[in-house]
Amino acid sequence: MRSVLMSLIVGVDDCSSESDVIVVPSALDFVSQDDMLTPLGRLDKYAASENVFNRQMVARSLLDTLREVCDDERECIAVLERISRLADDSEPTVRAELMEQVPHIALFCQENRPAIPYAFSKYLLPIVVRYLADQNNQVRKTSQAALLALLEQELIERVDVETKVCPVLVELTAPDSNDDVKTEAVAIMCKMAPMVGKDITERLILPRFCEMCCDCRMFHVRKVCAANFGDICSVVGQQATEEMLLPRFFQLCSDNVWGVRKACAECFMAVSCATCQEIRRTKLSALFINLISDPSRWVRQAAFQSLGPFISTFANPSSSGQYFKEENKSSEDTSVEDKNSEKIRGADAPEDIEARPTGGDSSVHLEETLAEGAETLRQPPGELSAPAESSSPLRLSPEPPPDAAGSEEEREPCACGLASQPEAGTGAQDSAPLDQELYNSFHFWRTPLPEIDLDVELQQGSGSEPGPQGLDVEPEVPAPGSASITMATRKELEEMIENLEPHIDDPDVKAQVDVLAAALRASSLDAGDEAGEAPLRAPQDELPSCRLDHDAAGPLISEEQTMDSALHYIHNDSDSGTSSGFSPDEERRAKVQDVVPQALLDQYLSMTDPSRAQTVDTEIAKHCAYSLPGVALTLGRQNWHCLRETYETLASDMQWKVRRTLAFSIHELAVILGDQLTAADLVPIFNGFLKDLDEVRIGVLKHLHDFLKLLHIDKRREYLYQLQEFLVTDNSRNWRFRAELAEQLILLLELYSPRDVYDYLRPIALNLCADKVSSVRWISYKLVSEMVRKLHRAAPPTFGADLIQELVESFGRCPRWSGRQAFVFVCQTVIEDDCLPMDQFAVQLMPHLLTLANDRVPNVRVLLAKTLRQTLLEKEHFLTSASCHQEAVEQTIMALQMDRDSDVKYFASTHPASTRISEDALSTASSTY
């Protein structure tokens, strides 16, 4: 240091002579020289420096320089010209630093466009485009990021995109281009497609993208194309996707590199969304099955993760699976499904209900949308129309009208194998009823049963069987004396009824028992007694929901139809614990539906197979659970029986992450299924989650209100006894669990009566108000105040008065100062939220509040001073009316102003700007934890 100083200060022997003294300028003089330079001068000085760091600093300071000279257009242009020269710097770090500043400079140019028009297009954009092909990887990456940022902020004109950006990208993807540059250029093209729009993408990007999908030399390019395939499809639309992109997608899905196929599986949902339903069902489904069975485990893993989202694309967007179309079915499916379809008319106005034979690809229009809340699965007795919640339309005798009786092409066999009768015409010769067509009150008034596939054994044992095809011969009518069902079937019915007897309290089980009992009685009727019954016909005005032809002679539901429908109704809709005794083949057929291709659903249901975790992915069950609500919404509640077993398997999975996923979505599934299916299938699983690990219980707790509001009031009240269990956690330090409980209890107040709130929710709320963690207490104060509001407005006001009295006894007179402080917090919240009228507050709570002015703990008096000065005196009741209550408040404030504690004096004397309850709690958090 000494040598440096000596070098700066040079003296001579004779100091008395001024001419002999040499003065060397100090380092501060150089700084003053920079300050004397103009912004452009400093820019030129350091831009020409040989020091790399100086040139980097120039790049970083360009925006500041532009702001300094923004008032002079010529100087702005001069700065931009120097940027162009700086872009030619040989040092990559300088070029990369410059490119990082380009988006900020471009935004500045856009804001000052009148002063420097076309500045970005002329000076900056060429640099960005040129750097896309720079030799240095860092420079290319920064230029790509800058280009995307500019496009996202819409700083590049459309004409510049077409004439300057896209041609360069197309040139960079030429066959002779550098491999790395080509791969990056394809990625940029794909990412910018959603930003530039459909027109530019179709004209300038799509042709080259299709070529890159077939790049035989570099699989990296094909992999990038596959990874971004969904984005391109969503931009260009359905027509271009189906005509140009799908053939390339099929090639990529069969690529010899597993990474390309894996990328296809990951974007499959986006591609499916850009195609029509027919292609999705016929082509993409088969293609996806190939990916699921791919030799590579990584491809299978990605495919199974995308399976649920892909199935969700089959949902009808207008009604989410409530309106669907029956497509052509395989021979296996058509053997167990009826080919006929009916239009279901609503119950609002009487309509003719008729069975119309159609082809196997006919459409089923569910014109009555499925309600998601209070509607039940079955309508009350007396309504003959198909229930809105039912999964199958009302089936009458599925025979063609008489005028088409001679046409074989128009006649369809009854796939269910039920005894059907010719539909009566208008002539007198067709009006004579047969013995089996006699009126039966049970059949007439019973809510129509769902149409379920017929048991093979029952079909063989039935007295009437359709012909080989049922096209040219009419079905035989069983003789009056023939038995419609076998003894084995009667025994099976008796066993079912016996199994259901212990659960007779459940309305659904009781309805099933009634169906089975009626079917058993019908099977035991003497044929002679049936023949002797007089034909009874109900008048037309007794049918509230439908209008039948006056001359209709066919039976509404035959004995055998009732028997078969009852059996399958129990099989599909009974509780999971009820034994059904059906064969494995029937169990499989019960899961058949026609909303999505059955092969896809079968693969989805197999995701719970333990072997999948070994051969595909250990997290496959979690992926299945995550996408299950979407699959359920796609299938609709009418096909919930297909997913019920899978859901129960997931709910009992050994991995808590799987159960946690279900717990977080069970409220959404309840909305999809409706209250009846929720009570039957979801409530037991919900109850199991309540007793699970805290990681699972938190999912149920976060949506407790959303789930309970969907239940019937009686079912909802059962959970009042279990709310107390949420106070107990595996880890006592898990205070967020209790805080979430307080949040949910605030929402639950509207679901329960004042008595239930007082008896069950009040103890929990008061417990939370005394929690060890202040964050829990703050939410609990809000809970208690809302509880005071509800109970005060209740018809018997005694609940509200009792709650206030308990607050005074438990907190206002608590021996611990934290309890007395909590009482002040509750009062403050009640005042702020107007939970009590001020006249009622002045009588019931304020006298006890004012007594705390003599509390021995300063924290309580400080909070009291804040509450009185900043909350209570702001209310209209205390500002306008001169009453004894107002006088008592003013006297208390005067006493607090003379308090021995300085903080109490301050808050009682002044009026700080803001002291809401959260801030008050925070100010005392350290002393109240």
Side-chain angles (χ1 to χ4, degrees):
M1 183 67 182
R2 186 173 182 179
S3 60
V4 174
L5 292 176
M6 293 300 296
S7 64
L8 293 176
I9 302 174
V10 180
V12 294
D13 295 336
D14 188 3
C15 296
S16 60
S17 175
E18 284 187 40
S19 60
D20 296 331
V21 177
I22 301 175
V23 180
V24 178
S26 66
L28 298 176
D29 294 332
F30 294 100
V31 178
S32 61
Q33 290 178 8
D34 284 350
D35 291 339
M36 296 175 59
L37 294 175
T38 63
L40 284 178
R42 288 198 304 270
L43 194 66
D44 291 336
K45 175 182 177 181
Y46 290 102
S49 173
E50 295 182 358
N51 192 329
V52 176
F53 297 104
N54 288 340
R55 300 201 299 274
Q56 285 182 337
M57 292 302 299
V58 169
R60 294 176 186 174
S61 61
L62 285 173
L63 183 59
D64 295 333
T65 304
L66 277 173
R67 286 173 177 166
E68 292 180 16
V69 301
C70 62
D71 296 333
D72 191 336
E73 179 181 348
R74 288 180 300 177
E75 289 191 356
C76 288
I77 298 299
V79 173
L80 294 175
E81 290 175 348
R82 284 160 175 77
I83 292 177
S84 301
R85 291 199 299 267
L86 190 63
D88 298 329
D89 196 287
S90 59
E91 179 61 35
T93 57
V94 177
R95 301 198 301 273
E97 188 67 45
L98 173 63
M99 191 51 53
E100 289 181 0
Q101 302 300 320
V102 165
H104 306 291
I105 299 175
L107 186 60
F108 173 82
C109 294
Q110 181 70 18
E111 295 172 352
N112 298 271
R113 189 180 181 89
I116 43 178
Y118 309 110
F120 172 75
S121 177
K122 182 177 180 181
Y123 296 103
L124 298 180
L125 185 58
I127 301 175
V128 176
V129 173
R130 187 178 58 178
Y131 278 5
L132 292 175
D134 196 274
Q135 295 180 353
N136 185 268
N137 181 57
Q138 182 183 3
V139 177
R140 291 200 308 272
K141 295 295 184 183
T142 52
S143 65
Q144 294 164 13
L147 178 60
L148 294 178
L150 294 170
L151 288 171
E152 186 177 3
Q153 299 178 17
E154 299 180 353
L155 298 177
I156 305 180
E157 297 291 340
R158 186 178 183 86
V159 62
D160 290 335
V161 174
E162 295 186 22
T163 58
K164 296 182 178 180
V165 178
C166 289
V168 172
L169 291 175
V170 172
E171 181 181 354
L172 293 178
T173 56
D176 57 346
S177 179
N178 179 272
D179 293 345
D180 294 338
V181 174
K182 181 192 297 186
T183 304
E184 295 170 357
V186 173
I188 289 295
M189 292 172 60
C190 297
K191 292 178 180 178
M192 64 181 288
M195 304 177 190
V196 300
K198 178 180 179 180
D199 179 57
I200 295 180
T201 302
E202 283 188 339
R203 289 189 294 106
L204 303 177
I205 297 178
L206 186 59
R208 180 52 59 93
F209 178 81
C210 293
E211 294 178 11
M212 293 296 99
C213 291
C214 303
D215 191 310
C216 300
R217 190 170 63 88
M218 289 190 61
F219 80 90
H220 296 287
V221 175
R222 301 196 304 274
K223 184 177 180 180
V224 171
C225 292
N228 297 275
F229 210 95
D231 295 334
I232 299 294
C233 291
S234 61
V235 172
V236 300
Q238 178 177 328
Q239 182 177 358
T241 297
E242 296 176 353
E243 293 178 357
M244 300 182 63
L245 291 176
L246 273 188
R248 307 295 189 277
F249 189 66
F250 275 78
Q251 294 177 4
L252 293 175
C253 287
S254 58
D255 197 275
N256 57 356
V257 178
W258 67 266
V260 178
R261 302 196 302 273
K262 178 176 179 290
C264 291
E266 292 171 346
C267 71
F268 213 94
M269 175 187 176
V271 177
S272 177
C273 291
T275 60
C276 66
Q277 186 74 269
E278 181 181 359
I279 290 180
R280 188 180 302 140
R281 180 177 294 271
T282 57
K283 296 182 179 180
L284 292 183
S285 298
L287 183 63
F288 195 85
I289 294 297
N290 293 336
L291 292 176
I292 284 182
S293 56
D294 194 90
S296 172
R297 176 171 181 168
W298 305 110
V299 178
R300 297 197 304 271
Q301 180 177 326
F304 273 108
Q305 291 182 17
S306 301
L307 178 56
F310 176 49
I311 290 177
S312 67
T313 61
F314 288 86
N316 190 301
S318 61
S319 55
S320 299
Q322 297 165 10
Y323 171 86
F324 59 90
K325 188 173 183 180
E326 287 185 350
E327 305 292 344
N328 291 327
K329 306 178 182 64
S330 63
S331 59
E332 179 180 352
D333 293 338
T334 54
S335 65
V336 296
E337 294 184 26
D338 187 15
K339 295 181 181 180
N340 298 327
S341 64
E342 293 83 17
K343 283 189 176 181
I344 306 304
R345 303 294 183 181
D348 296 337
E351 295 287 348
D352 290 330
I353 297 181
E354 53 187 20
R356 303 176 183 177
T358 57
D361 57 347
S362 61
S363 299
V364 177
H365 298 271
L366 302 180
E367 296 179 355
E368 288 293 321
T369 58
L370 303 177
E372 295 181 346
E375 293 186 12
T376 58
L377 286 172
R378 294 180 295 276
Q379 294 178 354
E383 295 185 4
L384 195 58
S385 63
E389 309 276 341
S390 177
S391 61
S392 61
L394 174 64
R395 301 287 181 171
L396 300 182
S397 301
E399 287 293 318
D403 56 353
S407 175
E408 293 184 1
E409 291 79 2
E410 295 181 3
R411 299 173 70 102
E412 293 287 336
C414 180
C416 292
L418 302 178
S420 57
Q421 302 296 333
E423 190 172 5
T426 57
Q429 66 275 11
D430 297 328
S431 61
L434 299 177
D435 292 340
Q436 294 293 326
E437 296 173 336
L438 299 179
Y439 172 79
N440 185 293
S441 61
F442 168 77
H443 294 159
F444 187 84
W445 293 110
R446 178 62 190 168
T447 303
L449 301 173
E451 181 186 11
I452 311 297
D453 304 332
L454 184 63
D455 191 298
V456 178
E457 296 179 2
L458 295 180
Q459 183 177 358
Q460 293 175 354
S462 175
S464 66
E465 295 184 2
Q469 297 297 330
L471 297 177
D472 53 353
V473 294
E474 293 189 356
E476 297 180 0
V477 179
S482 62
S484 59
I485 60 175
T486 62
M487 291 298 295
T489 304
R490 295 194 186 105
K491 184 177 180 180
E492 185 179 4
L493 279 175
E494 293 173 353
E495 292 179 354
M496 284 186 171
I497 294 176
E498 184 178 352
N499 291 334
L500 292 175
E501 285 293 344
H503 310 284
I504 197 67
D505 294 337
D506 191 336
D508 293 334
V509 176
K510 185 176 184 303
Q512 296 166 7
V513 172
D514 293 341
V515 174
L516 288 175
L520 187 60
R521 288 195 301 270
S523 66
S524 303
L525 291 178
D526 192 309
D529 294 338
E530 293 180 3
E533 291 181 0
L536 299 177
R537 294 288 179 231
Q540 183 178 357
D541 55 5
E542 293 182 8
L543 300 178
S545 301
C546 65
R547 183 176 70 249
L548 299 179
D549 193 345
H550 287 286
D551 299 326
L556 189 62
I557 304 177
S558 67
E559 301 285 345
E560 187 173 301
Q561 277 180 295
T562 305
M563 179 63 206
D564 296 332
S565 299
L567 288 176
H568 290 277
Y569 177 79
I570 294 300
H571 173 64
N572 286 336
D573 290 342
S574 61
D575 292 338
S576 59
T578 305
S579 59
S580 58
F582 286 91
S583 63
D585 183 63
E586 284 188 326
E587 294 286 351
R588 184 191 63 80
R589 294 192 311 182
K591 298 178 182 179
V592 173
Q593 43 71 51
D594 57 358
V595 180
V596 301
Q598 189 62 35
L600 289 178
L601 182 60
D602 292 341
Q603 291 290 344
Y604 178 80
L605 298 180
S606 71
M607 292 176 72
T608 57
D609 191 338
S611 62
R612 294 290 191 189
Q614 302 295 329
T615 60
V616 180
D617 184 9
T618 56
E619 299 286 331
I620 189 171
K622 182 181 177 182
H623 297 303
C624 179
Y626 182 82
S627 57
L628 195 140
V631 176
L633 182 64
T634 302
L635 295 179
R637 68 183 66 170
Q638 68 272 15
N639 290 313
W640 167 243
H641 60 275
C642 300
L643 298 174
R644 182 188 293 114
E645 183 179 350
T646 299
Y647 190 78
E648 293 171 353
T649 303
L650 292 171
S652 59
D653 195 274
M654 294 296 295
Q655 302 181 67
W656 63 266
K657 293 182 179 180
V658 177
R659 304 194 304 274
R660 175 185 169 93
T661 303
L662 294 182
F664 270 95
S665 63
I666 192 171
H667 67 288
E668 297 289 355
L669 191 60
V671 173
I672 297 171
L673 298 183
D675 59 343
Q676 292 293 325
L677 288 175
T678 296
D681 297 328
L682 298 188
V683 166
I685 295 175
F686 183 84
N687 295 337
F689 288 158
L690 293 179
K691 301 178 179 64
D692 213 314
L693 301 176
D694 285 351
E695 290 80 3
V696 179
R697 295 171 70 202
I698 189 62
V700 173
L701 181 59
K702 278 185 174 294
H703 303 285
L704 186 63
H705 168 263
D706 298 329
F707 184 83
L708 293 184
K709 72 179 180 181
L710 302 174
L711 303 181
H712 190 268
I713 181 62
D714 295 334
K715 197 71 176 177
R716 191 186 304 154
R717 291 192 74 252
E718 296 179 3
Y719 290 94
L720 287 171
Y721 307 95
Q722 304 182 43
L723 293 176
Q724 191 80 21
E725 299 177 2
F726 282 110
L727 294 174
V728 182
T729 56
D730 298 338
N731 184 1
S732 60
R733 296 184 179 181
N734 188 7
W735 60 267
R736 290 181 177 84
F737 201 91
R738 300 190 298 276
E740 185 63 41
L741 174 61
E743 294 277 9
Q744 289 297 314
L745 289 180
I746 296 176
L747 301 175
L748 289 177
L749 292 177
E750 65 179 13
L751 301 181
Y752 293 105
S753 65
R755 174 170 290 279
D756 289 339
V757 170
Y758 184 81
D759 291 341
Y760 298 99
L761 302 188
R762 173 189 54 83
I764 303 176
L766 298 181
N767 191 319
L768 293 173
C769 284
D771 196 88
K772 295 180 179 180
V773 181
S774 57
S775 298
V776 179
R777 295 197 300 270
W778 301 340
I779 305 173
S780 303
Y781 302 148
K782 174 72 172 177
L783 169 61
V784 172
S785 64
E786 292 298 327
M787 200 172 292
V788 169
R789 185 204 304 271
K790 180 179 180 67
L791 296 182
H792 173 73
R793 296 178 178 179
T798 56
F799 294 129
D802 292 344
L803 175 59
I804 292 176
Q805 185 61 31
E806 187 169 3
L807 287 174
V808 173
E809 295 293 336
S810 301
F811 294 95
R813 300 171 184 171
C814 180
R816 299 183 58 184
W817 70 270
S818 59
R820 300 191 298 275
Q821 188 185 55
F823 179 75
V824 182
F825 273 128
V826 171
C827 292
Q828 182 181 8
T829 312
V830 169
I831 298 170
E832 290 178 347
D833 298 341
D834 295 322
C835 298
L836 272 180
M838 282 298 99
D839 55 345
Q840 295 291 326
F841 177 85
V843 174
Q844 300 184 39
L845 281 174
M846 196 176 72
H848 307 285
L849 182 65
L850 297 181
T851 59
L852 297 177
N854 300 321
D855 197 277
R856 62 182 182 275
V857 180
N859 298 57
V860 179
R861 301 197 303 275
V862 167
L863 183 58
L864 176 63
K866 291 181 180 180
T867 302
L868 296 180
R869 170 64 73 176
Q870 303 159 19
T871 306
L872 188 63
L873 290 182
E874 293 296 319
K875 293 298 179 180
E876 190 73 18
H877 178 77
F878 291 94
L879 290 176
T880 58
S881 63
S883 63
C884 60
H885 303 300
Q886 183 182 12
E887 183 179 353
V889 173
E890 292 177 351
Q891 292 177 357
T892 304
I893 291 179
M894 292 178 60
L896 292 173
Q897 290 174 353
M898 295 182 293
D899 195 273
R900 60 183 180 275
D901 188 276
S902 59
D903 291 333
V904 178
K905 289 181 182 179
Y906 173 78
F907 286 105
S909 304
T910 61
H911 195 299
S914 173
T915 56
R916 302 294 292 179
I917 180 173
S918 60
E919 298 172 2
D920 291 341
L922 283 172
S923 66
T924 57
S926 60
S927 59
T928 60
Y929 188 87

